[in-house]
Amino acid sequence: MSATTVIGVEGEERGDFSEEESRQIRRRSLRLLGSLLRPLRGRVAFALAVIVVSTLAQVVGPTLIGIGVDQGIASLTSQNWWPIAATGAAYLVTGVIGAVTVSWYTVMSARISQAILFDLRKRVFLHTQRLSLEFHESYTSGRIISRQTSDLDAIRELLDSGINQLVQGVLYSGFIAVFMFINDWVSGVILFCSLVPLYFLTRWFQKRSQLLFRRSRVASAKLIVHFVETMTGIRAVKAFRKEHRNENEFGDLVEDYRDVNAKTIQLFGIFDPGLVMIGNVTVAVVLLVGGYRVALGALPIGVLLAVLLYTRRFFDPMEEMAMFYNSYQSAAAALEKISGVLEEEPSVPDPEHPVELGRASGHVRFEGVSFAYKQDRVILPRFSLDVPAGQTIALVGSTGAGKSTLAKLIARFYDPTEGRITLDGVSLRDLRPEDLRRAIVMVTQEAYLFSGTVADNIALGKPDATAEEIRAAAVAVGADGFIRGLPDGYDTDVNKRGGRVSAGQRQLISFARAFLANPAVLILDEATSSLDIPSERLVQDALQTLLKDRTALIIAHRLSTVAIADRVLVMEHGRVVEDGSPGELIAGTGRFAQLHAAWRDSLV
Amino acid sequence: MSAAEAPVNQAPVSPAPQTRPPGSAATSDRRPSTFRSLARIYPFARPAMPRIYLGMVAAIGASIVALLIPIVLQGLVDGPMGHGDPAQVVPSALLVLILGAAEAVLISLRRWFVLTPATKVEADLRNAFYAKLQALPVSFHDGWPSGQLLSRAVSDLNLIRRWLSFGFVLLFVNILTIMIGFVVLITWNWLLAVIFMACSVPLWVYGYVFESRYSVIARRSQDQAGDLATSVEESVHGIRVLKAFGRGRHALRNFERQAEDLRGTEIAKAKAIAGIWLWLLLVPDVAFAICLVVGVWLVSTGSLTAGQLLAFFATATVLRFPIESIGFLLSMTFDTRTAADRFFDVMNTPNTIRDPEHPKTIADPRGRLVFRDVHFRYADTPEGHPDLLNGVDLELRPGETMALVGLTGSGKSTLTALTTRLYDVTGGSITLDGVDIRDLTLSELRTHVAMAFEDATLFSASVRDNVLLGRPDLVGDDPDAVAKADAVLAEALDVAQAGFAYDLPDGVDTRVGEEGLSLSGGQRQRIALARAVAASPEVLVLDDPLSALDTTTEVLVESALRRVLAATTALVVAHRPSTVTLADRVALLEDGRVTAVGTHSELLAGNDHYRFVISSLEDDEQGERDATAFSGGTAASEPRGEGRRS
């Protein structure tokens, strides 16, 4: 992917798209919109029909008033109540129809927009989960979260009010124009003339606001990031006396944000009175021409009243339609970004013809595998490796040697650039995802806990586990003791007060989770780094039994872990430089022997 | 509501109820009155008040002008038009034109007066809030998730600004407009006026009922949206776990259920809105229909002129928006009150860790750090539990490196946090070179004592700025300062084995942190360590700063640190024997007290608990086998047979 494409999330932060690129982005977000609307087209058409009837009923009013005034007064002087009673009743009926259909439509359109949002939410969520780790590592978590929160909010805002305002506004103004012509075509022509300044004012507003809204989003995002970073890093802020410098930095961001906000407000401060001005001038001109003709007897007074009311009302929805631009623009930008994320292809795709694997034995083979993030950054040069079922392997080497990458290849977090990895002879690329995940589990250093109870978190390893199974898993890894010491034991909410769990305790919980999952291949990537020595001792003990009949790959900084391995692989610059049993390697003179000697010394 | 949407709400008022901000109108708990609650904003708003008053005047002017137009119409219809005098139509139409233009000008004046100063008030509030949060102690932040604080700093302050520049102004102006309009209507015909106003009453009543019902649903929808956002965050932060266990589907099901709940609430919300729409449209139409029939009848009996009837409808049209807006503006006022309460909740939190009134200063800092009978307990520790630190006595001699060893949860990190007053002791004292650290200014104390944390926080700035964070004296373009800064940077990176920083895309100027390049845990730790070293303090406090490093790197860092630590007093939290060997002496923390101090080998030889905590597998493999009956099996309790020293 070169730096100049706009495929997927590439170039998302740029503000200088060429014509062609903008078109490309617009096309993809329209495609997304189309796919969201297609299943709902029947309901959309029906809602449109309702809103047409509704608007029509609302617009008839002034005409009826005009008829009432012209016909009613004349008839009443001869004691004929019929015409005025009929127009009054007609006015009432149209009023009721208008009001009832509007509220009906409101619920209907909410159902439609909620269906769209629900669909979109699910799609983005699912797609986010499908995208490979490679994507998540380059596209920060903050961005993918705002795609699913603030961007979806922008779309919700548009669907909730913006679209309604546009549809209602366009219909309302359109029908009013029609009724103006029916009542008095001269006034209708005048109204049409007012469209010229209205067009220019709106165009101007649209162009200016587009720029400002972009700036406003950037400014608010910067403000938020700085704020959150300060609050989450408050210890470091205080320890290094950053408060004062922070106040200056934050003050600048606040000022930027204020400035762009003030400019936006000023823009409305011109646009809004501009609309009032155009409306009032039109009313005056309609009045001048109409009044002249009434005075000449060429126009009934009731018709003048009707067209004046129409003229004034014609401009009512304009303000709301201006707001439509507002929400439209942020929603369009949001949709562009979301469609970019959805366009990203998972670099670890699900197989087209998945191969099922019943009970895996755990035989892992690397066949001519190499791995590179980009063409020029080779992490693992081509190699082959055979791990027989049941073997426990310790992976040793300095940071950046490629240990984690190798582990992640087995867990299929990445796919190799060349060659293939097999489990019991089946390429991981072809293995049914459910079978792959049941057979191979990886526990990483960041032991992440989800909100919920401790038991819920352990049960993630096996969603249908019973309470006994969960407890047994915790006992097996030595986590039962501290869990029972928590305020509500296994039912303690890990995010609530009193649920303060240390990094080490989190690692124990995630160990229990892996134990419960009972995989054929277990990968431990620095999974004991935060444990204190007594806890680690317990875990090591548990591992001896846990790993007895399964394949295991252990990455640990502490060489003590190596003791339980059948085989040690020493890695350097992406290559396996030593391979043998711990005893053989310690007895030799290689890198591992040196490391081990240094480590023994450090124990005193 | 995100900050980016602020302009949406800034747009001209729309009578449509959809645009009203969700929130809690008329909440049941009546703390101070709404008025008094909002009055607290006044000190911040004072500079803007003159212009806000001017804005009100302009708004009232605009309303009066709008109400004048129907009066001119009435004169026109009953005068020139009635008499068939076309020539006289022109001046009246011109008058309407002038009034119309005046209305537009007054509206823009209102906005011009009010809005820019209000954004300044908002910015001032935001800066004050931020400064207050930075000053509040860490214990405050422990209890407040940053999301909660963020929504106060952004959306609550946004709402306060909008209310100040718009809700507050229009509430007054619209009530006044309704009253003036009513008087105008009465002068034409009291019957029509009363019918029209009587019909508005259900709107106010229903508007109020709607507000209280709507706010409950809106609050529920906000909560559910918040829960959904939490699910999203967790699904992203926990993606490795979800992938590792293939639980993406499982997470999706939960997410789907929550999204479904939210959808239900949103539809309930739409139904409430549909209800208010029904009334907002129906009531005026009923009023108009009745007024039409009655008005026409009045004209036919001659008690009303055609011009007055026409002017009546025109005036009623002008009044429609002010009447409808009252409910919405009231609810905005209640919401703003809630926002103000949330803001002042934080602003009024007393700051317990402050500079002393009469600060002392250390003339010749040596780095002698003494803990005397130090007690500490977290504020939320339940009754009956002993203090986490229960009488710690420890003395660090100048230049000495002291390792702190103890089980997880024994309070080691807490003890280190006390040295820079991230927390204050709850009993006893800590002195630096004989001065109680509470008698020093925070900035002096934190110049003398620098920390590196296990959980290494880097800020969105270059590596250089992150490392030199503790050295504001080295900032500047002066060539000497730059050279000095480069030298300090190079040395610190070297000690922390963070030379990788030079190989980053832009070298040490590469931006890291949330907005920059993401580094591995070990890389972050090394930069955080370099930061502490670069601060060149008298006392260096390291809270397990090497936990994420591999053995080789750790050995290198340690030998480099030993060089630096030769002249510096250091307190190092250690989990591993290798880190302990850095130290001149080791302090063992047990049951909230320092139960033993000595060299590593002394303690190893003479202290059972120490051996239990620090020695690794093979060393006491045999001893462990004996002890691994592990009756309780708990990680935190000691195996049977380990005698406790007490």
Side-chain angles (χ1 to χ4, degrees):
Chain A
M1 238 183 268
S2 81
T4 50
T5 67
V6 288
I7 295 164
V9 296
E10 198 81 8
E12 187 184 83
E13 304 294 317
R14 277 166 48 204
D16 56 338
F17 297 122
S18 70
E19 291 274 317
E20 175 54 34
E21 287 171 338
S22 300
R23 241 196 322 274
Q24 195 182 331
I25 291 173
R26 231 177 356 253
R27 262 203 306 274
R28 105 184 153 202
S29 55
L30 281 178
R31 254 198 320 273
L32 173 61
L33 195 62
S35 75
L36 289 166
L37 281 172
R38 209 162 299 125
L40 300 166
R41 36 177 191 229
R43 283 154 79 183
V44 172
F46 185 65
L48 275 177
V50 171
I51 194 68
V52 168
V53 171
S54 164
T55 316
L56 205 53
Q58 290 174 64
V59 169
V60 179
T63 302
L64 291 175
I65 291 178
I67 294 171
V69 169
D70 286 338
Q71 313 288 323
I73 297 175
S75 321
L76 256 189
T77 37
S78 51
Q79 289 307 310
N80 180 2
W81 276 90
W82 277 112
I84 185 60
T87 34
Y91 193 95
L92 205 58
V93 169
T94 55
V96 171
I97 292 177
V100 170
T101 46
V102 160
S103 60
W104 189 18
Y105 169 77
T106 304
V107 177
M108 230 173 353
S109 72
R111 284 189 200 282
I112 293 171
S113 56
Q114 286 301 317
I116 293 174
L117 278 174
F118 186 69
D119 187 5
L120 189 58
R121 278 207 173 99
K122 247 171 57 183
R123 280 198 215 185
V124 183
F125 186 92
L126 192 61
H127 197 76
T128 307
Q129 292 295 319
R130 280 181 57 218
L131 285 171
S132 51
L133 274 191
E134 203 177 334
F135 174 83
H136 285 279
E137 278 161 6
S138 62
Y139 196 73
T140 58
S141 56
R143 279 152 81 194
I144 193 77
I145 290 169
S146 58
R147 287 303 82 79
Q148 297 186 66
T149 51
S150 50
D151 283 352
L152 270 163
D153 274 347
I155 293 173
R156 178 185 55 78
E157 187 91 9
L158 177 75
L159 290 171
D160 268 9
S161 49
I163 291 277
N164 280 349
Q165 282 165 3
L166 182 74
V167 172
Q168 282 176 315
V170 166
L171 285 173
Y172 192 79
S173 300
F175 281 133
I176 282 181
V178 171
F179 275 80
M180 282 287 275
F181 274 97
I182 294 174
N183 274 285
D184 176 37
W185 68 268
V186 180
S187 304
V189 171
I190 296 171
L191 188 68
F192 256 76
C193 292
S194 76
L195 291 181
V196 176
L198 188 65
Y199 172 80
F200 284 108
L201 181 68
T202 312
R203 275 301 288 173
W204 170 83
F205 172 79
Q206 188 197 355
K207 284 196 170 149
R208 289 309 259 331
S209 61
Q210 192 164 13
L211 278 174
L212 283 174
F213 290 146
R214 262 185 211 279
R215 271 190 53 201
S216 158
R217 274 195 300 273
V218 172
S220 79
K222 282 194 172 155
L223 187 85
I224 289 170
V225 166
H226 185 97
F227 185 91
V228 170
E229 208 168 65
T230 304
M231 297 314 147
T232 48
I234 191 77
R235 283 179 165 75
V237 167
K238 285 175 178 290
F240 290 94
R241 314 179 306 285
K242 195 172 186 285
E243 295 98 329
H244 189 64
R245 281 168 282 166
N246 262 347
E247 267 166 45
N248 290 335
E249 283 169 31
F250 189 72
D252 289 346
L253 294 175
V254 166
E255 179 54 27
D256 278 351
Y257 181 56
R258 188 200 71 77
D259 181 60
V260 68
N261 255 348
K263 288 211 169 78
T264 314
I265 295 164
Q266 277 162 5
L267 193 67
F268 275 99
I270 298 171
F271 181 66
D272 180 33
L275 282 178
V276 174
M277 182 71 95
I278 294 173
N280 284 351
V281 170
T282 314
V283 166
V285 176
V286 168
L287 179 67
L288 177 68
V289 176
Y292 200 81
R293 286 154 64 222
V294 172
L296 286 176
L299 191 71
I301 182 84
V303 174
L304 177 63
L305 174 58
V307 293
L308 282 177
L309 287 176
Y310 277 134
T311 310
R312 216 190 141 87
R313 289 190 187 179
F314 179 78
F315 294 93
D316 282 351
M318 295 303 159
E319 293 183 353
E320 289 169 22
M321 278 153 74
M323 292 212 278
F324 169 79
Y325 272 127
N326 194 337
S327 49
Y328 168 76
Q329 271 157 6
S330 43
L335 199 65
E336 283 173 7
K337 287 184 180 174
I338 291 175
S339 64
V341 170
L342 290 177
E343 201 179 43
E344 284 287 329
E345 290 287 339
S347 59
V348 180
D350 286 346
E352 273 177 45
H353 306 290
V355 177
E356 288 188 29
L357 186 70
R359 177 83 197 130
S361 72
H363 179 198
V364 177
R365 276 177 65 89
F366 286 72
E367 297 172 3
V369 168
S370 75
F371 181 78
Y373 279 110
K374 286 177 187 158
Q375 288 305 332
D376 53 340
R377 263 187 73 205
V378 178
I379 306 291
L380 300 177
R382 199 179 151 91
F383 73 107
S384 293
L385 184 69
D386 187 282
V387 183
Q391 194 171 58
T392 299
I393 290 193
L395 210 49
V396 176
S398 56
T399 309
K403 295 172 307 211
S404 288
T405 311
L406 192 139
K408 285 173 182 167
L409 285 173
I410 301 180
R412 206 176 175 229
F413 283 179
Y414 310 132
D415 270 343
T417 317
E418 297 181 281
R420 62 176 206 151
I421 299 165
T422 61
L423 173 67
D424 293 354
V426 182
S427 169
L428 295 185
R429 280 200 181 89
D430 301 330
L431 197 57
R432 200 164 73 120
E434 292 85 346
D435 292 343
L436 171 72
R437 295 299 165 204
R438 204 181 51 238
I440 303 178
V441 161
M442 177 159 172
V443 182
T444 58
Q445 185 180 10
E446 316 98 357
Y448 189 82
L449 295 190
F450 294 86
S451 59
T453 65
V454 173
D456 291 343
N457 268 291
I458 297 176
L460 202 74
K462 186 184 174 192
D464 55 352
T466 63
E468 281 79 66
E469 285 177 292
I470 291 171
R471 243 207 96 192
V475 170
V477 301
D480 180 64
F482 95 83
I483 294 174
R484 277 190 293 142
L486 293 172
D488 298 317
Y490 282 82
D491 295 325
T492 306
D493 193 315
V494 293
N495 284 341
K496 293 262 167 64
R497 264 163 63 128
R500 231 183 249 147
V501 226
S502 73
Q505 291 168 333
R506 270 205 291 273
Q507 287 195 334
L508 285 179
I509 293 177
S510 73
F511 250 117
R513 191 189 269 164
F515 186 88
L516 187 62
N518 189 24
V521 181
L522 182 64
I523 304 162
L524 305 176
D525 185 0
E526 298 288 349
T528 56
S529 63
S530 298
L531 299 183
D532 59 21
I533 287 172
S535 310
E536 195 190 8
R537 221 175 281 151
L538 269 178
V539 168
Q540 300 262 7
D541 255 14
L543 280 180
Q544 305 249 351
T545 39
L546 177 60
L547 301 184
K548 201 159 282 167
D549 48 359
R550 59 187 102 232
T551 312
L553 188 81
I554 303 175
I555 302 175
H557 288 150
R558 304 184 198 174
L559 291 189
S560 56
T561 316
V562 173
I564 58 172
D566 304 320
R567 178 179 173 192
V568 177
L569 299 178
V570 182
M571 289 188 73
E572 233 171 65
H573 306 301
R575 288 176 200 280
V576 175
V577 291
E578 286 173 43
D579 180 352
S581 75
E584 281 167 33
L585 292 185
I586 291 169
T589 54
R591 180 122 172 75
F592 184 72
Q594 290 164 21
L595 275 177
H596 192 265
W599 173 70
R600 291 285 332 177
D601 292 346
S602 77
L603 294 177
V604 180
Chain B
M1 212 177 293
S2 88
E5 292 159 33
V8 176
N9 304 300
Q10 199 50 61
V13 204
S14 147
Q18 286 102 319
T19 57
R20 70 187 60 194
S24 62
T27 37
S28 54
D29 57 316
R30 292 248 167 272
R31 281 176 294 174
S33 72
T34 301
F35 177 77
R36 287 196 24 208
S37 180
L38 289 172
R40 290 181 293 177
I41 303 169
Y42 184 74
F44 290 94
R46 193 160 39 213
M49 287 321 278
R51 292 188 61 156
I52 289 178
Y53 294 138
L54 283 174
M56 278 188 183
V57 172
I60 293 168
S63 292
I64 290 175
V65 168
L67 287 170
L68 279 176
I69 294 177
I71 296 176
V72 177
L73 282 182
Q74 183 251 327
L76 182 64
V77 171
D78 289 341
M81 281 197 254
H83 307 137
D85 185 359
Q88 288 304 311
V89 170
V90 179
S92 298
L94 271 181
L95 190 56
V96 169
L97 184 68
I98 290 165
L99 288 173
E103 187 193 1
V105 170
L106 283 166
I107 289 177
S108 63
L109 268 181
R110 190 246 304 163
R111 289 177 153 277
W112 181 73
F113 275 130
V114 153
L115 293 169
T116 309
T119 61
K120 290 221 165 77
V121 174
E122 185 191 7
D124 289 346
L125 286 167
R126 192 165 283 140
N127 281 323
F129 188 66
Y130 183 78
K132 175 74 183 181
L133 285 177
Q134 285 205 114
L136 281 170
V138 171
S139 56
F140 171 87
H141 289 273
D142 287 343
W144 286 77
S146 62
Q148 278 285 336
L149 298 176
L150 181 67
S151 74
R152 283 165 169 76
V154 179
S155 24
D156 285 346
L157 295 186
N158 247 320
L159 181 61
I160 290 177
R161 190 249 299 149
R162 291 201 313 272
W163 179 77
L164 206 56
S165 61
F166 162 80
F168 173 62
V169 172
L170 283 194
L171 191 59
F172 268 92
V173 171
N174 286 354
I175 289 176
L176 204 61
T177 307
I178 294 171
M179 293 195 302
I180 298 173
F182 187 52
V183 171
V184 171
L185 292 183
I186 283 186
T187 58
W188 286 320
N189 186 280
W190 67 269
L191 182 58
L192 284 182
V194 168
I195 292 173
F196 182 71
M197 291 315 276
C199 284
S200 323
V201 172
L203 273 191
W204 297 342
V205 174
Y206 192 83
Y208 189 80
V209 171
F210 167 79
E211 280 315 323
S212 38
R213 189 185 307 162
Y214 182 79
S215 69
V216 173
I217 306 177
R219 172 61 58 88
R220 195 193 322 149
S221 136
Q222 268 181 336
D223 288 349
Q224 288 175 347
D227 289 346
L228 200 67
T230 308
S231 285
V232 166
E233 281 168 30
E234 292 193 340
S235 76
V236 172
H237 291 309
I239 186 117
R240 283 178 183 77
V241 176
L242 292 176
K243 279 195 182 290
F245 288 91
R247 293 285 173 260
R249 288 273 159 196
H250 178 72
L252 178 69
R253 266 198 304 281
N254 278 334
F255 177 81
E256 217 170 348
R257 189 174 38 72
Q258 287 179 323
E260 189 62 68
D261 287 348
L262 178 63
R263 162 153 84 168
T265 308
E266 286 292 325
I267 287 172
K269 205 160 104 182
K271 283 181 178 159
I273 289 170
I276 187 82
W277 257 126
L278 186 68
W279 285 82
L280 282 181
L281 288 171
L282 197 58
V283 171
D285 273 340
V286 170
F288 268 52
I290 299 174
C291 289
L292 176 65
V293 175
V294 174
V296 166
W297 172 68
L298 286 171
V299 173
S300 75
T301 60
S303 52
L304 191 75
T305 65
Q308 283 170 335
L309 181 60
L310 185 142
F312 172 84
F313 280 112
T315 308
T317 308
V318 172
L319 289 181
R320 221 171 133 158
F321 163 65
I323 288 174
E324 287 170 358
S325 72
I326 295 298
F328 152 64
L329 291 172
L330 275 177
S331 108
M332 185 178 183
T333 305
F334 287 128
D335 286 351
T336 307
R337 174 250 157 90
T338 311
D341 286 350
R342 282 155 54 94
F343 174 74
F344 284 105
D345 272 354
V346 172
M347 292 304 281
N348 295 340
T349 307
N351 186 0
T352 48
I353 299 185
R354 279 171 313 195
D355 284 339
E357 274 181 37
H358 307 290
K360 293 183 184 163
T361 179
I362 301 174
D364 176 24
R366 307 286 308 280
R368 178 188 204 83
L369 189 67
V370 179
F371 297 80
R372 190 138 296 146
D373 191 29
V374 167
H375 285 257
F376 181 81
R377 66 188 292 124
Y378 285 99
D380 59 354
T381 310
E383 291 275 321
H385 275 66
D387 289 355
L388 179 59
L389 298 177
N390 204 358
V392 170
D393 286 301
L394 184 64
E395 179 177 343
L396 277 74
R397 302 169 199 142
E400 179 182 44
T401 298
M402 176 79 76
L404 194 60
V405 169
L407 286 173
T408 303
S410 59
K412 301 186 296 289
S413 293
T414 307
L415 188 67
T416 59
L418 296 179
T419 59
T420 49
R421 294 189 71 200
L422 293 181
Y423 300 93
D424 262 348
V425 297
T426 47
S429 69
I430 302 173
T431 58
L432 182 61
D433 291 328
V435 181
D436 190 314
I437 57 172
R438 283 168 295 188
D439 292 333
L440 294 168
T441 62
L442 289 169
S443 116
E444 182 179 348
L445 171 66
R446 289 166 187 171
T447 311
H448 295 317
V449 185
M451 289 188 79
F453 307 92
E454 180 184 11
D455 169 23
T457 308
L458 299 185
F459 296 101
S460 291
S462 64
V463 171
R464 173 197 298 276
D465 290 348
N466 267 293
V467 172
L468 297 179
L469 193 62
R471 295 300 291 273
D473 55 310
L474 294 182
V475 177
D477 294 330
D478 159 34
D480 284 351
V482 172
K484 179 105 189 289
D486 280 341
V488 170
L489 176 69
E491 210 218 324
L493 289 176
D494 181 49
V495 169
Q497 301 299 312
F500 68 86
Y502 291 106
D503 302 329
L504 295 175
D506 296 318
V508 289
D509 294 315
T510 307
R511 206 172 159 78
V512 295
E514 177 60 30
E515 277 192 315
L517 194 73
S518 61
L519 301 176
S520 75
Q523 289 176 323
R524 282 206 308 273
Q525 272 196 346
R526 278 180 277 167
I527 289 183
L529 181 64
R531 176 165 69 194
V533 168
S536 83
E538 279 72 41
V539 180
L540 191 59
V541 178
L542 306 176
D543 182 6
D544 204 15
L546 308 177
S547 62
L549 303 191
D550 62 79
T551 339
T552 331
T553 317
E554 194 189 337
V555 169
L556 292 171
V557 172
E558 274 159 12
S559 60
L561 264 183
R562 214 170 276 139
R563 216 171 59 226
V564 175
L565 294 184
T568 311
T569 311
L571 182 62
V572 184
V573 171
H575 275 146
R576 310 183 205 168
S578 53
T579 316
V580 170
T581 54
L582 258 180
D584 301 316
R585 291 194 297 162
V586 183
L588 178 65
L589 196 60
E590 185 186 2
D591 296 330
R593 317 174 54 144
V594 171
T595 52
V597 181
T599 65
H600 177 54
S601 25
E602 281 167 21
L603 293 185
L604 210 52
N607 189 307
D608 291 339
H609 184 68
Y610 184 73
R611 228 179 0 256
F612 171 67
V613 172
I614 202 73
S615 64
S616 334
L617 288 175
E618 291 100 298
D619 283 341
D620 55 357
E621 191 123 288
Q622 196 46 51
E624 194 189 324
R625 285 281 163 272
D626 299 339
T628 324
F630 276 122
S631 46
T634 68
S637 75
E638 294 162 281
R640 213 172 270 167
E642 294 260 343
R644 281 188 180 225
R645 287 165 50 109
S646 55

